[in-house]
């Protein structure tokens, strides 16, 4: 017996319309089902393949600022996708915690409107021991991003610094 994959996850929320708008409009997820009477929304990044990967439901009991989960990570396909989210987050005023290279991935850590930490990330074909996280600027041109990521692998600084 073995787990095949993570199927979906969900969040209890205070403001369902606000959170639905963020995940639907800002992140680009598709609403596949919802029930306004009980306050639940099902969302998917691949609605033709997976009915839902993410659920939002009213009923949050944790106070604002309480740490509920470590992060929710959303994989993208290209560096252009990462760069597009870099621009969108700036345009939307989304709080970005850090833009990073993990050596084996590029990622942007950000917060949704209720303070839940998320990440959009791109896998990179490198085998780099984890944890590895160093700040990088996805506003740079692609060739500079890749060059900086290579430089950061061997810069001699600490491989990981937690960001709170």
């Amino acid at each position: 017996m073995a787990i095949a994959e993570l199927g979906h996850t969900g969040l209890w929320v205070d403001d369902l319309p606000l959170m639905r708008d963020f995940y639907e409009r800002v992140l680009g997820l598709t609403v596949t089902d919802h029930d306004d009477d009980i306050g639940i929304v099902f969302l998917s990044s691949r609605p033709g393949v997976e009915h839902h990967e993410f659920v939002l439901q009213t009923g949050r009991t944790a106070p604002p600022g309480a740490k509920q989960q470590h992060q929710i990570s959303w994989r993208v396909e290209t560096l252009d996708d990462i760069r597009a989210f870099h621009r969108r987050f700036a345009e939307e005023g989304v709080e970005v915690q850090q833009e990073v290279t993990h050596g084996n991935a590029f990622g942007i850590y950000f917060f949704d409107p209720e303070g839940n930490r998320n990440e959009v990330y791109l896998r990179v074909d490198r085998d780099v021991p984890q944890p590895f996280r160093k700040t990088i600027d996805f506003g740079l041109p692609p060739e500079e991003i890749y060059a900086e990521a290579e430089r950061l692998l061997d810069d001699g600084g600490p491989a990981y610094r937690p960001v709170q």
Side-chain angles (χ1 to χ4, degrees), residues 1-47:
M1 174 173 43
I3 299 295
E5 64 184 23
L6 176 63
H8 60 271
T9 191
L11 292 175
W12 296 108
V13 302
D14 285 323
D15 187 334
L16 186 59
L18 176 69
M19 296 292 278
R20 174 182 174 162
D21 176 68
F22 180 82
Y23 284 98
E24 186 176 13
R25 186 178 55 78
V26 177
L27 287 192
L29 299 178
T30 299
V31 173
T32 56
D33 269 320
H34 64 94
D35 185 319
D36 295 334
D37 291 335
I38 62 172
I40 191 168
V41 176
F42 299 86
L43 301 113
S44 180
S45 65
R46 316 172 291 151

Short mmCIF file of all heavy atoms in Angstrom, two decimals, residues 1-47:
data_model
loop_
_atom_site.label_atom_id
_atom_site.label_comp_id
_atom_site.label_asym_id
_atom_site.label_seq_id
_atom_site.Cartn_x
_atom_site.Cartn_y
_atom_site.Cartn_z
N MET A 1 0.85 -1.18 0.00
CA MET A 1 0.00 0.00 0.00
C MET A 1 0.89 1.24 0.00
O MET A 1 1.86 1.30 0.75
CB MET A 1 -0.88 -0.01 1.25
CG MET A 1 -1.68 1.25 1.40
SD MET A 1 -2.91 1.28 2.73
CE MET A 1 -2.09 0.53 4.08
N ALA A 2 0.55 2.23 -0.85
CA ALA A 2 1.30 3.47 -0.91
C ALA A 2 0.39 4.60 -1.37
O ALA A 2 -0.54 4.37 -2.14
CB ALA A 2 2.48 3.33 -1.88
N ILE A 3 0.68 5.80 -0.92
CA ILE A 3 -0.03 6.98 -1.37
C ILE A 3 0.40 7.26 -2.81
O ILE A 3 1.60 7.27 -3.11
CB ILE A 3 0.30 8.20 -0.48
CG1 ILE A 3 -0.11 7.94 0.96
CG2 ILE A 3 -0.31 9.47 -1.03
CD1 ILE A 3 -1.58 7.78 1.18
N ALA A 4 -0.54 7.52 -3.69
CA ALA A 4 -0.21 7.80 -5.09
C ALA A 4 0.11 9.28 -5.31
O ALA A 4 1.02 9.61 -6.06
CB ALA A 4 -1.38 7.40 -6.00
N GLU A 5 -0.63 10.16 -4.67
CA GLU A 5 -0.40 11.59 -4.80
C GLU A 5 -1.31 12.33 -3.84
O GLU A 5 -2.26 11.74 -3.32
CB GLU A 5 -0.66 12.08 -6.22
CG GLU A 5 -2.10 11.93 -6.66
CD GLU A 5 -2.34 12.32 -8.11
OE1 GLU A 5 -1.40 12.31 -8.91
OE2 GLU A 5 -3.49 12.64 -8.42
N LEU A 6 -1.03 13.60 -3.62
CA LEU A 6 -1.94 14.44 -2.84
C LEU A 6 -3.10 14.82 -3.76
O LEU A 6 -2.89 15.35 -4.85
CB LEU A 6 -1.22 15.70 -2.35
CG LEU A 6 -2.07 16.72 -1.60
CD1 LEU A 6 -2.62 16.13 -0.31
CD2 LEU A 6 -1.27 17.97 -1.31
N GLY A 7 -4.31 14.54 -3.35
CA GLY A 7 -5.48 14.80 -4.18
C GLY A 7 -5.98 16.23 -4.08
O GLY A 7 -6.18 16.89 -5.09
N HIS A 8 -6.21 16.71 -2.87
CA HIS A 8 -6.65 18.08 -2.69
C HIS A 8 -6.45 18.48 -1.24
O HIS A 8 -6.21 17.65 -0.38
CB HIS A 8 -8.11 18.28 -3.12
CG HIS A 8 -9.09 17.44 -2.37
ND1 HIS A 8 -9.46 16.18 -2.77
CD2 HIS A 8 -9.80 17.68 -1.24
CE1 HIS A 8 -10.34 15.69 -1.93
NE2 HIS A 8 -10.57 16.58 -0.98
N THR A 9 -6.53 19.77 -1.02
CA THR A 9 -6.46 20.33 0.32
C THR A 9 -7.47 21.45 0.40
O THR A 9 -8.04 21.85 -0.62
CB THR A 9 -5.03 20.82 0.64
OG1 THR A 9 -4.94 21.12 2.03
CG2 THR A 9 -4.64 22.04 -0.18
N GLY A 10 -7.70 21.97 1.59
CA GLY A 10 -8.68 23.02 1.73
C GLY A 10 -8.40 23.92 2.90
O GLY A 10 -7.59 23.59 3.77
N LEU A 11 -9.08 25.04 2.91
CA LEU A 11 -8.94 26.02 3.98
C LEU A 11 -10.31 26.41 4.52
O LEU A 11 -11.26 26.59 3.75
CB LEU A 11 -8.28 27.30 3.45
CG LEU A 11 -6.83 27.24 3.03
CD1 LEU A 11 -6.42 28.58 2.42
CD2 LEU A 11 -5.93 26.89 4.21
N TRP A 12 -10.38 26.57 5.84
CA TRP A 12 -11.52 27.24 6.46
C TRP A 12 -11.25 28.73 6.29
O TRP A 12 -10.13 29.19 6.51
CB TRP A 12 -11.60 26.90 7.95
CG TRP A 12 -11.86 25.46 8.24
CD1 TRP A 12 -10.98 24.56 8.74
CD2 TRP A 12 -13.09 24.76 8.06
NE1 TRP A 12 -11.58 23.34 8.88
CE2 TRP A 12 -12.88 23.43 8.46
CE3 TRP A 12 -14.35 25.12 7.58
CZ2 TRP A 12 -13.88 22.47 8.42
CZ3 TRP A 12 -15.35 24.17 7.54
CH2 TRP A 12 -15.11 22.85 7.96
N VAL A 13 -12.25 29.49 5.92
CA VAL A 13 -12.05 30.91 5.65
C VAL A 13 -13.11 31.75 6.37
O VAL A 13 -14.17 31.26 6.74
CB VAL A 13 -12.08 31.21 4.13
CG1 VAL A 13 -11.02 30.40 3.40
CG2 VAL A 13 -13.46 30.95 3.53
N ASP A 14 -12.80 33.03 6.54
CA ASP A 14 -13.75 34.00 7.09
C ASP A 14 -14.59 34.62 5.98
O ASP A 14 -15.80 34.71 6.09
CB ASP A 14 -13.02 35.12 7.83
CG ASP A 14 -12.49 34.68 9.19
OD1 ASP A 14 -13.17 33.89 9.87
OD2 ASP A 14 -11.40 35.13 9.56
N ASP A 15 -13.93 35.09 4.93
CA ASP A 15 -14.60 35.85 3.86
C ASP A 15 -14.53 35.05 2.57
O ASP A 15 -13.59 35.18 1.78
CB ASP A 15 -13.92 37.21 3.72
CG ASP A 15 -14.63 38.15 2.77
OD1 ASP A 15 -15.35 37.67 1.86
OD2 ASP A 15 -14.45 39.37 2.92
N LEU A 16 -15.52 34.20 2.33
CA LEU A 16 -15.51 33.31 1.18
C LEU A 16 -15.49 34.07 -0.16
O LEU A 16 -14.69 33.72 -1.04
CB LEU A 16 -16.69 32.33 1.23
CG LEU A 16 -16.71 31.26 0.15
CD1 LEU A 16 -15.46 30.38 0.19
CD2 LEU A 16 -17.95 30.39 0.28
N PRO A 17 -16.30 35.13 -0.35
CA PRO A 17 -16.22 35.83 -1.64
C PRO A 17 -14.84 36.43 -1.91
O PRO A 17 -14.34 36.36 -3.04
CB PRO A 17 -17.30 36.92 -1.52
CG PRO A 17 -18.27 36.38 -0.52
CD PRO A 17 -17.42 35.60 0.46
N LEU A 18 -14.21 37.00 -0.90
CA LEU A 18 -12.87 37.56 -1.06
C LEU A 18 -11.86 36.48 -1.42
O LEU A 18 -11.05 36.64 -2.35
CB LEU A 18 -12.44 38.26 0.24
CG LEU A 18 -11.02 38.83 0.25
CD1 LEU A 18 -10.90 40.02 -0.69
CD2 LEU A 18 -10.64 39.22 1.69
N MET A 19 -11.90 35.38 -0.71
CA MET A 19 -10.95 34.29 -0.95
C MET A 19 -11.21 33.62 -2.30
O MET A 19 -10.27 33.27 -3.01
CB MET A 19 -11.02 33.29 0.19
CG MET A 19 -10.58 33.87 1.53
SD MET A 19 -8.83 34.25 1.58
CE MET A 19 -8.22 32.61 1.95
N ARG A 20 -12.48 33.44 -2.66
CA ARG A 20 -12.80 32.86 -3.96
C ARG A 20 -12.25 33.75 -5.07
O ARG A 20 -11.64 33.27 -6.02
CB ARG A 20 -14.31 32.69 -4.10
CG ARG A 20 -14.72 32.23 -5.49
CD ARG A 20 -16.22 32.11 -5.64
NE ARG A 20 -16.57 31.81 -7.02
CZ ARG A 20 -17.74 31.32 -7.38
NH1 ARG A 20 -18.68 31.08 -6.49
NH2 ARG A 20 -17.99 31.08 -8.65
N ASP A 21 -12.47 35.05 -4.96
CA ASP A 21 -11.95 35.99 -5.96
C ASP A 21 -10.44 35.88 -6.08
O ASP A 21 -9.90 35.85 -7.19
CB ASP A 21 -12.36 37.42 -5.61
CG ASP A 21 -11.75 38.43 -6.57
OD1 ASP A 21 -12.16 38.44 -7.75
OD2 ASP A 21 -10.86 39.20 -6.15
N PHE A 22 -9.73 35.81 -4.97
CA PHE A 22 -8.27 35.74 -5.00
C PHE A 22 -7.80 34.49 -5.74
O PHE A 22 -6.99 34.56 -6.65
CB PHE A 22 -7.70 35.75 -3.57
CG PHE A 22 -6.21 35.68 -3.54
CD1 PHE A 22 -5.45 36.82 -3.72
CD2 PHE A 22 -5.56 34.47 -3.34
CE1 PHE A 22 -4.06 36.75 -3.71
CE2 PHE A 22 -4.18 34.39 -3.32
CZ PHE A 22 -3.42 35.54 -3.51
N TYR A 23 -8.31 33.33 -5.34
CA TYR A 23 -7.84 32.08 -5.94
C TYR A 23 -8.34 31.90 -7.38
O TYR A 23 -7.65 31.31 -8.20
CB TYR A 23 -8.22 30.88 -5.06
CG TYR A 23 -7.31 30.80 -3.85
CD1 TYR A 23 -7.72 31.31 -2.62
CD2 TYR A 23 -6.05 30.24 -3.96
CE1 TYR A 23 -6.87 31.25 -1.52
CE2 TYR A 23 -5.20 30.19 -2.85
CZ TYR A 23 -5.62 30.70 -1.64
OH TYR A 23 -4.78 30.65 -0.56
N GLU A 24 -9.50 32.46 -7.67
CA GLU A 24 -10.03 32.34 -9.04
C GLU A 24 -9.40 33.39 -9.96
O GLU A 24 -8.85 33.05 -11.01
CB GLU A 24 -11.55 32.52 -9.00
CG GLU A 24 -12.24 32.28 -10.33
CD GLU A 24 -13.75 32.38 -10.24
OE1 GLU A 24 -14.30 32.86 -9.21
OE2 GLU A 24 -14.40 31.96 -11.20
N ARG A 25 -9.44 34.64 -9.58
CA ARG A 25 -8.98 35.72 -10.47
C ARG A 25 -7.48 35.91 -10.43
O ARG A 25 -6.83 35.99 -11.47
CB ARG A 25 -9.69 37.03 -10.09
CG ARG A 25 -9.40 38.19 -11.04
CD ARG A 25 -10.16 39.44 -10.63
NE ARG A 25 -9.90 39.82 -9.25
CZ ARG A 25 -8.80 40.45 -8.84
NH1 ARG A 25 -7.86 40.77 -9.69
NH2 ARG A 25 -8.64 40.76 -7.56
N VAL A 26 -6.89 35.96 -9.25
CA VAL A 26 -5.46 36.25 -9.14
C VAL A 26 -4.62 35.03 -9.49
O VAL A 26 -3.66 35.12 -10.25
CB VAL A 26 -5.11 36.80 -7.74
CG1 VAL A 26 -3.61 37.04 -7.61
CG2 VAL A 26 -5.87 38.10 -7.47
N LEU A 27 -4.97 33.85 -8.93
CA LEU A 27 -4.19 32.65 -9.22
C LEU A 27 -4.64 31.93 -10.48
O LEU A 27 -3.90 31.14 -11.04
CB LEU A 27 -4.19 31.69 -8.04
CG LEU A 27 -3.37 32.10 -6.85
CD1 LEU A 27 -3.23 30.94 -5.88
CD2 LEU A 27 -2.01 32.63 -7.22
N GLY A 28 -5.87 32.17 -10.92
CA GLY A 28 -6.34 31.57 -12.16
C GLY A 28 -6.95 30.18 -12.02
O GLY A 28 -7.10 29.47 -13.01
N LEU A 29 -7.35 29.78 -10.80
CA LEU A 29 -8.01 28.49 -10.63
C LEU A 29 -9.45 28.58 -11.16
O LEU A 29 -10.03 29.66 -11.22
CB LEU A 29 -8.03 28.08 -9.16
CG LEU A 29 -6.67 27.90 -8.49
CD1 LEU A 29 -6.85 27.53 -7.03
CD2 LEU A 29 -5.83 26.87 -9.21
N THR A 30 -10.00 27.45 -11.52
CA THR A 30 -11.37 27.36 -12.04
C THR A 30 -12.30 26.84 -10.96
O THR A 30 -12.00 25.82 -10.33
CB THR A 30 -11.42 26.41 -13.26
OG1 THR A 30 -10.56 26.93 -14.28
CG2 THR A 30 -12.83 26.27 -13.80
N VAL A 31 -13.41 27.52 -10.76
CA VAL A 31 -14.44 27.02 -9.85
C VAL A 31 -15.16 25.89 -10.56
O VAL A 31 -15.71 26.06 -11.64
CB VAL A 31 -15.43 28.13 -9.44
CG1 VAL A 31 -16.59 27.55 -8.64
CG2 VAL A 31 -14.72 29.21 -8.64
N THR A 32 -15.14 24.70 -9.94
CA THR A 32 -15.78 23.54 -10.55
C THR A 32 -17.13 23.23 -9.92
O THR A 32 -17.97 22.61 -10.55
CB THR A 32 -14.88 22.29 -10.45
OG1 THR A 32 -14.55 22.07 -9.08
CG2 THR A 32 -13.61 22.47 -11.27
N ASP A 33 -17.33 23.66 -8.68
CA ASP A 33 -18.61 23.51 -7.98
C ASP A 33 -18.62 24.48 -6.82
O ASP A 33 -17.57 24.92 -6.34
CB ASP A 33 -18.79 22.09 -7.42
CG ASP A 33 -19.49 21.15 -8.39
OD1 ASP A 33 -20.44 21.60 -9.05
OD2 ASP A 33 -19.09 19.98 -8.47
N HIS A 34 -19.83 24.78 -6.35
CA HIS A 34 -19.97 25.61 -5.15
C HIS A 34 -21.36 25.41 -4.59
O HIS A 34 -22.29 25.00 -5.29
CB HIS A 34 -19.71 27.09 -5.45
CG HIS A 34 -20.70 27.70 -6.38
ND1 HIS A 34 -21.82 28.37 -5.95
CD2 HIS A 34 -20.74 27.73 -7.73
CE1 HIS A 34 -22.50 28.79 -7.00
NE2 HIS A 34 -21.87 28.42 -8.10
N ASP A 35 -21.49 25.68 -3.32
CA ASP A 35 -22.80 25.64 -2.65
C ASP A 35 -22.85 26.85 -1.74
O ASP A 35 -22.21 26.89 -0.69
CB ASP A 35 -22.96 24.33 -1.86
CG ASP A 35 -24.35 24.20 -1.25
OD1 ASP A 35 -24.90 25.21 -0.74
OD2 ASP A 35 -24.88 23.08 -1.26
N ASP A 36 -23.59 27.85 -2.19
CA ASP A 36 -23.67 29.09 -1.43
C ASP A 36 -24.39 28.92 -0.10
O ASP A 36 -24.09 29.64 0.86
CB ASP A 36 -24.37 30.18 -2.25
CG ASP A 36 -23.56 30.57 -3.49
OD1 ASP A 36 -22.32 30.41 -3.48
OD2 ASP A 36 -24.18 31.04 -4.46
N ASP A 37 -25.31 27.96 -0.02
CA ASP A 37 -26.05 27.76 1.23
C ASP A 37 -25.16 27.28 2.37
O ASP A 37 -25.33 27.70 3.51
CB ASP A 37 -27.19 26.75 1.03
CG ASP A 37 -28.30 27.31 0.14
OD1 ASP A 37 -28.45 28.55 0.07
OD2 ASP A 37 -29.00 26.49 -0.49
N ILE A 38 -24.21 26.40 2.08
CA ILE A 38 -23.30 25.94 3.14
C ILE A 38 -21.95 26.64 3.07
O ILE A 38 -21.10 26.42 3.93
CB ILE A 38 -23.12 24.41 3.14
CG1 ILE A 38 -22.51 23.90 1.84
CG2 ILE A 38 -24.43 23.72 3.42
CD1 ILE A 38 -22.16 22.42 1.88
N GLY A 39 -21.72 27.49 2.06
CA GLY A 39 -20.50 28.28 1.99
C GLY A 39 -19.28 27.47 1.64
O GLY A 39 -18.30 27.47 2.40
N ILE A 40 -19.29 26.81 0.50
CA ILE A 40 -18.15 26.00 0.07
C ILE A 40 -17.91 26.19 -1.43
O ILE A 40 -18.87 26.32 -2.20
CB ILE A 40 -18.34 24.51 0.43
CG1 ILE A 40 -17.05 23.72 0.24
CG2 ILE A 40 -19.51 23.91 -0.35
CD1 ILE A 40 -17.08 22.32 0.84
N VAL A 41 -16.65 26.25 -1.81
CA VAL A 41 -16.24 26.40 -3.21
C VAL A 41 -15.15 25.38 -3.51
O VAL A 41 -14.20 25.24 -2.74
CB VAL A 41 -15.70 27.83 -3.49
CG1 VAL A 41 -15.19 27.95 -4.92
CG2 VAL A 41 -16.77 28.88 -3.22
N PHE A 42 -15.29 24.68 -4.64
CA PHE A 42 -14.30 23.72 -5.11
C PHE A 42 -13.58 24.33 -6.31
O PHE A 42 -14.23 24.84 -7.23
CB PHE A 42 -14.99 22.41 -5.53
CG PHE A 42 -15.72 21.74 -4.41
CD1 PHE A 42 -17.03 22.07 -4.10
CD2 PHE A 42 -15.08 20.76 -3.64
CE1 PHE A 42 -17.71 21.46 -3.06
CE2 PHE A 42 -15.75 20.14 -2.59
CZ PHE A 42 -17.07 20.49 -2.30
N LEU A 43 -12.23 24.25 -6.30
CA LEU A 43 -11.45 24.86 -7.37
C LEU A 43 -10.43 23.87 -7.92
O LEU A 43 -9.95 22.99 -7.19
CB LEU A 43 -10.71 26.09 -6.84
CG LEU A 43 -11.61 27.19 -6.28
CD1 LEU A 43 -11.41 27.32 -4.79
CD2 LEU A 43 -11.35 28.49 -6.96
N SER A 44 -10.07 24.07 -9.19
CA SER A 44 -9.10 23.19 -9.83
C SER A 44 -8.21 23.98 -10.79
O SER A 44 -8.67 24.91 -11.45
CB SER A 44 -9.81 22.08 -10.61
OG SER A 44 -8.88 21.22 -11.23
N SER A 45 -6.95 23.57 -10.87
CA SER A 45 -6.05 24.12 -11.87
C SER A 45 -6.14 23.32 -13.17
O SER A 45 -5.70 23.77 -14.21
CB SER A 45 -4.60 24.12 -11.37
OG SER A 45 -4.15 22.79 -11.18
N ARG A 46 -6.74 22.12 -13.09
CA ARG A 46 -6.87 21.22 -14.25
C ARG A 46 -8.27 20.62 -14.24
O ARG A 46 -8.44 19.42 -14.04
CB ARG A 46 -5.85 20.09 -14.18
CG ARG A 46 -4.46 20.51 -13.80
CD ARG A 46 -3.54 19.32 -13.55
NE ARG A 46 -3.92 18.59 -12.35
CZ ARG A 46 -3.72 17.30 -12.16
NH1 ARG A 46 -3.17 16.56 -13.08
NH2 ARG A 46 -4.08 16.72 -11.04
N PRO A 47 -9.30 21.42 -14.46
CA PRO A 47 -10.67 20.92 -14.31
C PRO A 47 -11.02 19.77 -15.26
O PRO A 47 -11.90 18.98 -14.95
CB PRO A 47 -11.54 22.14 -14.57
CG PRO A 47 -10.68 23.11 -15.27
CD PRO A 47 -9.28 22.84 -14.84
#
